[in-house]
Amino acid sequence: MRMALEASGKVDARTRTGRGAVRSATRSGRRGDPARAAIYLAPGMLGFVCFIIVPLVASLVISFFSWSLFGGATFVGLDNYVRMLSGQDPAFWIVMRNTVVFALSYTFLNLVISLGLSYWLQHLPDFWSRFLRVVFFIPVVTPMAGNALIWRLLLSDQGVVNAGLGSIGVEPVSWLNTPVLAMVSLLIMSLWQGLGYNIVVLTAGLNGLNTSVLEAATIDGANGFQRFFKVVFPMISPTVFFCTIMTVIGAFKVFAQPYFLTAGGPGENTNTMVLYLYRNGFAFDKLGYASSLAWVLFVVVMLLTALQFSQQKKWVNYDA
């Protein structure tokens, strides 16, 4: 009995010693964790501060100046914003209208077409589904400038499209020199370029569906239309919401397509906000006004994104 008590006491002492060592190591580890975390985060945070935060603050400061690219700066306060919003710059509201029309049309068409194609791909054999997904995604990873220049050659007055129309007796169409057709051409080219991304994302969402729910809906007599809108769409609504957010943001930032395809023309009919601020900053030598345009665009996109998040509870279902 005595030996057992002594052994028990030694074990308890070792246990207490071990626990004390663990506590001491934990306390010392906790004291060192902030410094170690700061070291690990420093490279990424340094890049974030240098290339995101500093330019963001600098652009806000520059927007309050009349700033020439190669000259001096004159503080003008809110004059850039007043000029923009009061109509002193008549091109601003035309450009804003073009951007909103393009963004809304592109987002709607992109989501509808990509969702339809994704649903169609789900019903194909695996080989063809994967192959077509790659085909649809190829334009996304090809250079935008090259694609736009090819489309410009196709849609020019003496281009391949008009040559094909002429072969069947149709008069040539001025695709890039008619206001409405120029916007339509811009939308078609942008859809061809950007559909693949949403197709891949939506296909991933469809692959995660619970097949037993679809089988139960079929057994209950639901037709294809009812299965899609009553079962499939609610289950993939978080994925559709993500695609909507990203597509709207990308549509408002459109630049390369109008720059290379239509050059903003004819007139100002396909000029967009990013193209307009680029020209003000680097062609018209108005860095201050360009910065104010960028901040107006930022506020518009931020408000639209906040609006979408505020409405998501009405149609996005996270319980599927």
Side-chain angles (χ1 to χ4, degrees), residues 152-160 162-163 172-177:
R152 186 170 183 173
L153 291 174
L154 292 173
L155 297 173
S156 63
D157 292 344
Q158 289 79 35
V160 176
N162 279 334
V173 178
S174 185
W175 296 98
L176 303 180
N177 296 311

